[in-house]
Amino acid sequence: MGIIRKTLSVTTLGLVGWKSKKELLTEAEADLAATRADLEQTSALRAALAERLETVEHDLKGSELDALQSAKDARKDERRRVRREKAEAQAARARKQAEARAEEARARLQKTSKSARKAADRARKKAEHFADDARHQVDDVTKTVRKKRKKLRS
């Protein structure tokens, strides 16, 4: 039967097919199976790509949040630095004032009587007290900054 169909197909220049319905069905089923396999492979690839895209988007969002946090920390560090510099400048001014007062008190001490010397000692102690307070304030601000920086880093 195959030879007759093949001969008929050749003589009609391909108008009549030479394959039987069974052969055509087998080929169609094979093509369908291959197409289904390709579809499954494409679906699996699409799912893997979607998962990868989701992971990349998640990583991107995390990176953006980290960058924002780093920028925020940098601004905080800058503000802390400025505050510390102001406190140190204030402490330096207080030290200079205290030293000037102490120097004045020493000069007066040499010129004055015993009661004046006692007053000069009190002024010197008061000036030293102001200088110590200023130093303590600077130390407290520095400790606070260090604690907060440590807390932010942990």
Side-chain angles (χ1 to χ4, degrees):
M1 189 101 174
I3 295 176
I4 297 172
R5 226 178 291 113
K6 202 170 201 177
T7 305
L8 184 60
S9 176
V10 170
T11 56
T12 59
L13 299 173
L15 288 176
V16 176
W18 60 277
K19 292 183 180 178
S20 68
K21 289 180 182 178
K22 197 178 205 180
E23 291 171 333
L24 291 173
L25 183 60
T26 304
E27 280 183 13
E29 287 175 351
D31 287 343
L32 180 62
T35 304
R36 284 185 179 157
D38 286 344
L39 179 62
E40 287 177 16
Q41 185 179 9
T42 304
S43 296
L45 183 62
R46 180 178 286 155
L49 288 175
E51 184 178 324
R52 177 71 179 138
L53 177 64
E54 186 177 312
T55 303
V56 168
E57 286 175 346
H58 180 74
D59 291 345
L60 176 64
K61 191 171 190 175
S63 297
E64 287 174 349
L65 291 175
D66 287 343
L68 289 173
Q69 185 64 40
S70 295
K72 183 178 177 182
D73 290 344
R75 287 191 302 270
K76 282 183 182 178
D77 289 344
E78 180 62 22
R79 288 192 302 266
R80 286 185 193 122
R81 184 187 61 78
V82 168
R83 270 190 248 132
R84 185 176 54 244
E85 287 174 356
K86 285 181 181 178
E88 288 172 353
Q90 184 180 7
R93 285 192 304 269
R95 274 188 224 115
K96 285 181 184 178
Q97 288 175 355
E99 288 171 1
R101 288 179 185 170
E103 200 57 42
E104 289 174 10
R106 281 189 204 109
R108 275 188 266 144
L109 178 65
Q110 292 175 356
K111 294 179 182 177
T112 60
S113 66
K114 185 177 180 181
S115 63
R117 283 188 213 121
K118 287 182 180 180
D121 282 338
R122 285 192 300 268
R124 182 185 49 81
K125 286 179 182 179
K126 193 173 184 180
E128 289 174 353
H129 178 71
F130 284 129
D132 286 340
D133 284 347
R135 282 189 207 107
H136 289 299
Q137 286 177 353
V138 169
D139 290 341
D140 290 344
V141 168
T142 305
K143 286 178 183 177
T144 304
V145 167
R146 286 182 182 154
K147 285 179 182 177
K148 287 184 180 179
R149 187 179 292 156
K150 185 177 180 181
K151 185 179 178 182
L152 287 174
R153 288 185 181 160
S154 61

